[in-house]
């Protein structure tokens, strides 16, 4: 197994692994360590079935079932849900517009997703160049880069995260809203395995900072959310068919870039790993 850093702060490519062939424990542990260190990993030229994706997801923890899977799942693999702009028999086969603004998955939940995996089945292109990149911003590197006085001032603060804060493009039921009442999380959280601190603040999803008035809250959320997505903390993934990308939702935020349209087709299988309650 070979590891190549994607940028100075964020992401790494893992080479020399065939996920479909299965992984021994030592390799599995080594892959998880690369994710812990770099926040995002990618493996190119993989050829996997839905079951193999779910198995590979287990390497990072227990696969979860997303609320979108009921509508856009894959028969026999409810842990996978489809992100796609493709229609079949006049109906969408997946969520078309998933996560266009910076976010970290399920921050509105009591136990947000620990990790997310996408497998690229179809990638849109223009004159041979890939479209529909996914960008990642390293919120741990962003924390490290803050002046100590600011770190001291915000360490220990908590924010309210609200499922209704962000405009969603796929339909959300009253049941989903009831399932995710507003929840408090520390806005600086420690990684459950490494203990490394990350900023945990997301514009729209984080609606206020506890103990601050509305104006102060909004200003802090804006300033920190902008800081996290500075160019030096970003890796932008250019997809190829057969890519598996895994990201750690404690360490990085991400966003999908919607710069393609049918007949340019994009089809991703998505799995998530259950997380734990974020801790300071
Ligand atoms: C997501 O936010 O899970 C989707 C990312 C993508 O489709 O690039």
């Amino acid at each position: 197994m070979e590891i190549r850093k994607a940028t100075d702060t964020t992401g790494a490519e893992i080479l020399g692994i065939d996920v479909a062939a299965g992984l021994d424990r030592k390799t599995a542990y080594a892959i998880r360590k690369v994710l812990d260190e770099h926040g995002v990993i990618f493996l190119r030229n993989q050829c996997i079935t839905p079951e193999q994706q779910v198995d590979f997801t287990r390497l990072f923890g227990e696969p979860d079932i997303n609320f979108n899977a009921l509508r856009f799942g894959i028969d026999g693999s409810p842990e996978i849900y489809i992100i796609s702009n493709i229609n079949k028999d006049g109906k969408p086969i997946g969520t078309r517009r998933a996560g266009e603004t910076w976010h970290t998955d399920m921050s509105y939940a009591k136990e947000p997703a620990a990790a997310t995996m996408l497998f690229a089945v179809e990638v849109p292109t223009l004159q041979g160049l890939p479209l529909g990149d996914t960008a990642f911003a390293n919120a741990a590197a962003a924390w490290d880069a803050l002046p100590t006085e600011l770190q001291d001032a915000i360490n220990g603060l908590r924010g309210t995260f609200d499922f209704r804060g962000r405009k969603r493009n796929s339909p959300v039921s009253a049941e989903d809203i009831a399932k995710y009442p507003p929840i408090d999380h520390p806005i600086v959280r420690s990684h459950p395995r490494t203990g490394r601190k990350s900023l945990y603040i997301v514009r729209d999803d984080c609606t206020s900072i506890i103990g601050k008035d509305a104006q102060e809250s909004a200003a802090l959320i804006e300033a920190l959310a902008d800081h996290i997505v500075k160019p030096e903390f970003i890796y932008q993934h250019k997809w190829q068919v057969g890519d598996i990308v895994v990201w750690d939702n404690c360490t990085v935020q991400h966003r999908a870039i919607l710069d393609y349209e049918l007949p340019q087709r994009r089809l991703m299988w998505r799995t998530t790993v259950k997380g734990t309650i974020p801790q300071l």
Side-chain angles (χ1 to χ4, degrees):
M1 166 170 142
E2 191 193 329
I3 296 147
R4 274 189 213 147
K5 276 176 84 163
T7 73
D8 280 348
T9 57
T10 314
E13 178 174 8
I14 299 182
L15 299 102
I17 300 286
D18 176 5
V19 171
L23 303 168
D24 58 49
R25 273 177 57 177
K26 203 170 139 214
T27 311
Y29 178 76
I31 291 175
R32 210 172 68 180
K33 248 185 114 204
V34 183
L35 179 64
D36 285 347
E37 200 172 320
H38 299 277
V40 185
I41 54 172
F42 59 98
L43 301 91
R44 303 258 194 215
N45 301 314
Q46 303 296 319
C47 183
I48 52 170
T49 62
E51 294 78 18
Q52 286 166 335
Q53 175 165 352
V54 175
D55 269 356
F56 188 49
T57 304
R58 275 188 232 289
L59 191 156
F60 306 96
E62 188 186 344
D64 202 359
I65 299 195
N66 188 277
F67 67 92
N68 283 304
L70 277 179
R71 233 178 124 213
F72 296 131
I74 288 189
D75 284 348
S77 296
E79 300 89 347
I80 294 187
Y81 105 81
I82 294 175
I83 295 181
S84 184
N85 64 341
I86 301 169
N87 298 313
K88 199 174 163 202
D89 303 327
K91 287 197 189 124
I93 63 164
T95 303
R96 176 173 141 60
R97 306 176 68 122
E100 284 168 79
T101 54
W102 287 107
H103 66 287
T104 168
D105 289 327
M106 295 182 68
S107 62
Y108 48 81
K110 187 172 170 203
E111 297 180 334
T116 305
M117 180 184 298
L118 290 186
F119 174 58
V121 182
E122 293 191 53
V123 174
T125 55
L126 181 65
Q127 293 169 355
L129 297 174
L131 299 172
D133 296 357
T134 308
F136 298 94
N138 193 321
W143 162 259
D144 293 345
L146 285 179
T148 316
E149 311 79 69
L150 184 51
Q151 286 185 336
D152 291 343
I154 63 172
N155 199 20
L157 292 180
R158 296 181 71 83
T160 302
F161 290 70
D162 194 333
F163 185 66
R164 297 159 306 175
R166 180 154 41 113
K167 193 173 145 274
R168 283 168 207 283
N169 294 302
S170 52
V172 171
S173 66
E175 221 178 306
D176 295 330
I177 292 173
K179 197 166 147 198
Y180 298 114
I183 182 94
D184 295 352
H185 293 308
I187 67 163
V188 178
R189 64 176 286 198
S190 301
H191 192 277
R193 277 193 295 270
T194 66
R196 186 178 180 193
K197 286 192 173 181
S198 292
L199 285 171
Y200 197 65
I201 197 137
V202 185
R203 189 180 276 116
D204 299 332
D205 290 335
C206 179
T207 50
S208 65
I209 307 288
I210 291 162
K212 307 266 177 210
D213 66 31
Q215 213 178 344
E216 261 187 303
S217 265
L220 191 55
I221 294 169
E222 289 294 303
L224 293 175
D226 283 347
H227 171 70
I228 293 167
V229 299
K230 283 184 180 154
E232 58 267 39
F233 308 130
I234 291 180
Y235 163 61
Q236 186 158 321
H237 187 73
K238 298 213 163 288
W239 290 94
Q240 295 173 13
V241 169
D243 282 357
I244 297 177
V245 174
V246 188
W247 63 87
D248 183 312
N249 284 299
C250 174
T251 308
V252 299
Q253 297 192 3
H254 62 283
R255 80 181 178 104
I257 295 170
L258 218 106
D259 55 358
Y260 58 93
E261 257 183 62
L262 286 172
Q264 295 157 326
R265 291 162 55 112
R266 189 174 191 265
L267 171 53
M268 302 277 165
W269 294 346
R270 184 180 191 275
T271 47
T272 45
V273 174
K274 284 186 181 171
T276 49
I277 296 176
Q279 305 291 339
L280 174 62

